[in-house]
Amino acid sequence: MYRWNPQQPSPMPFHRYRPYHERVDVPVESRSWPDRRPTEAPLWVPVDLRDGNQALAEPMDTDRKRRFFDLLVGMGFKEIEVGYPSASRTDFDFVRHLVTSGAVPDDVTPVVFTPARTDLIARTFASIEGLPRAVVHLYIATSPVWRDVVLGKTRAEIAATVREAAVLMARLADARPDAHIRFQFAPETYNVTEPDFVLELCNGLTELWDASPDRPVTHNLPTTVEIATPNVYADQIEYMSRHLDRRDSVIVSVHPHNDRGTGVAAAELAVLAGAQRVEGCLFGNGERTGNVDLVTLAMNLYAQGVDPKIDFSDLDAVRATVEHCNRLPVHPRHPYAGDLVHTAFSGTHQDAISKGFAHHATRTDDRWEVPYLPIDPADVGRTYEAVIRVNSQSGKGGMAYLLKEHYGVDLPREMRPEYARLVQEATDDSGSEATPDELYALFRTAYLDATGPVALADDWSVRQDGAVHHFACVLEVDGESRELEGKGNGPLAAFTDALRTAGLDVDIESFTQHGLTAGPDSEAVAYVRCRVGAVREWGAARHTSVLTASVGAVLSAVNRAVRQVS
């Protein structure tokens, strides 16, 4: 044990579980996949209507399935697994609905799923009668545990079952010369099956089905239950890709699950290792911990500057449809579609994002480089409204950003720490998030509406005599009115000079102002930091007159200082 690691052995019986290298031999020749990088999207095949549907407590009915299917077509998917027709009447009826309603566009190929049983294969072919094109997906479990515990068959018996099923599929397809029917094979539990056995099965089917570039066979290699790190799966895929016969007539497909939480990584490395097709569900729904998440996979490519070839420009609408059909929520921290994925509460994050937005606004190109945001939320149909939100963990940059975005109030940088303390006090007390409206209300109460013992009557005036400004006013201090006059090199200097004659020692240390909107009728907001005796305070005011706003800001600072002393 290292001195820096004080962890102790756990009481859990970890010895009961075998590491992957004791369960399956993974032949490794010379790895080439680690040196590759993603340059194009694979063929995406959503299996939400079959595998994802089987994972639902309440499976989709025809209406929900049709809505989901239309969504997938609209997003640009060209091969869609539409069901397991022999598993239930609902699935069979849905496939028939697609056929009879003409719902399948000419450039979309439906995929149907069948086990290696002759009666179920026949029913599967009956479901696609009338479709001009389809892929029939044949599967059987192949691993030693399944052969011994579930199926009770040897390798030779599994191979014979597969061959019988494949011969029947070829015969049924030949009986439909008007249709373009292709074949797919999945050795379920591939990742824990002996590689030589999988290769034997796949190459046998490639030959039997007479695969060609015009009519390729798909070999789908699933991590039915993840048992190893993603690099091991990549080694398995590279081995198959290198050794499959008629490689130019074979599509290597992967179907990763997420039992170890590494489904996305496994799929990404598998594509580097030679996979050309990826099956998954839009948001990772599936049995146990789910299938691989196609949205995350495709958007990961997008964030690397690679066209995903699927339209995610309205990701909120996609999510809403999937949630309706599945009756399952998408997690608020989903990498791209979650409600909070583009949201920052942390002060340091907010400051970086705010500066990133400001820098992006000055660019002459559209290159996206904003800290903490790997993609522009607008690209997936999001607004910037929820990017920065404020709670007790938030910083001055985020609060200032929201004031500016929602109310046009651009706090001076030196003023932000003081305002942030006011907000944090409020959120600490409430324990809740502060909305933009609440942030502005705090600003208004603290600064714009800052009343106190010092008040200015409406009949004040400023006149200029050369370089000298004169400020005349009626000032009320603790309810007592006094006529005052001061002079200085500007209106505010003349005003503070008048205040001194009333016994208020006021100096202006910082001043800034801006318009709230463009145009001559815009209100202005003025911010000023004053030293009032030994106290320094900020003040602010807004008005259609810049001068009135400036004088009001000085009064705001004076009253806040006087209240602090008293």
Side-chain angles (χ1 to χ4, degrees), residues 214-258:
D214 293 333
R215 195 188 181 198
V217 166
T218 299
H219 289 307
N220 190 48
L221 309 173
T223 58
T224 305
V225 179
E226 281 193 309
I227 64 157
T229 50
N231 60 294
V232 174
Y233 188 48
D235 286 339
Q236 291 176 306
I237 297 302
E238 189 163 64
Y239 170 81
M240 290 294 292
S241 183
R242 285 176 175 174
H243 293 87
L244 283 167
D245 293 342
R246 304 194 198 186
R247 187 62 185 85
D248 63 343
S249 302
V250 168
I251 300 168
V252 173
S253 175
V254 292
H255 183 113
H257 280 258
N258 199 44

Side-chain angles (χ1 to χ4, degrees), residues 28-50:
V28 177
E29 296 158 350
S30 58
R31 294 184 178 93
S32 61
W33 61 263
D35 296 325
R36 297 177 186 155
R37 62 181 181 85
T39 57
E40 63 178 336
L43 174 62
W44 307 113
V45 181
V47 296
D48 299 83
L49 299 176
R50 190 272 298 179

Side-chain angles (χ1 to χ4, degrees), residues 187-373:
E188 190 183 0
T189 64
Y190 157 75
N191 58 320
V192 284
T193 301
E194 306 92 327
D196 66 304
F197 183 41
V198 176
L199 198 60
E200 173 192 328
L201 292 174
C202 290
N203 284 339
L205 293 178
T206 299
E207 180 180 7
L208 189 154
W209 285 331
D210 194 20
S212 67
D214 293 333
R215 195 188 181 198
V217 166
T218 299
H219 289 307
N220 190 48
L221 309 173
T223 58
T224 305
V225 179
E226 281 193 309
I227 64 157
T229 50
N231 60 294
V232 174
Y233 188 48
D235 286 339
Q236 291 176 306
I237 297 302
E238 189 163 64
Y239 170 81
M240 290 294 292
S241 183
R242 285 176 175 174
H243 293 87
L244 283 167
D245 293 342
R246 304 194 198 186
R247 187 62 185 85
D248 63 343
S249 302
V250 168
I251 300 168
V252 173
S253 175
V254 292
H255 183 113
H257 280 258
N258 199 44
D259 302 271
R260 292 168 52 92
T262 57
V264 166
E268 290 181 325
L269 297 191
V271 170
L272 296 181
Q276 302 148 289
R277 179 181 183 272
V278 177
E279 293 187 350
C281 292
L282 283 191
F283 294 105
N285 178 43
E287 297 285 3
R288 305 178 310 281
T289 57
N291 295 308
V292 71
D293 183 327
L294 294 185
V295 171
T296 298
L297 281 172
M299 290 303 301
N300 282 354
L301 283 181
Y302 183 77
Q304 292 291 310
V306 178
D307 182 2
K309 299 185 178 179
I310 298 294
D311 185 3
F312 295 103
S313 59
D314 193 354
L315 197 48
D316 282 347
V318 171
R319 185 186 70 182
T321 299
V322 173
E323 288 180 328
H324 168 79
C325 294
N326 283 346
R327 300 178 233 197
L328 291 173
V330 172
H331 196 281
R333 293 292 183 186
H334 180 279
Y336 294 97
D339 275 336
L340 298 177
V341 64
H342 301 300
T343 300
F345 289 102
S346 162
T348 54
H349 289 211
Q350 292 174 340
D351 183 60
I353 291 170
S354 179
K355 289 175 179 175
F357 278 147
H359 176 73
H360 183 71
T362 67
R363 296 187 70 104
T364 58
D365 58 28
D366 64 351
R367 182 74 66 182
W368 182 256
E369 291 179 348
V370 174
Y372 293 113
L373 296 178

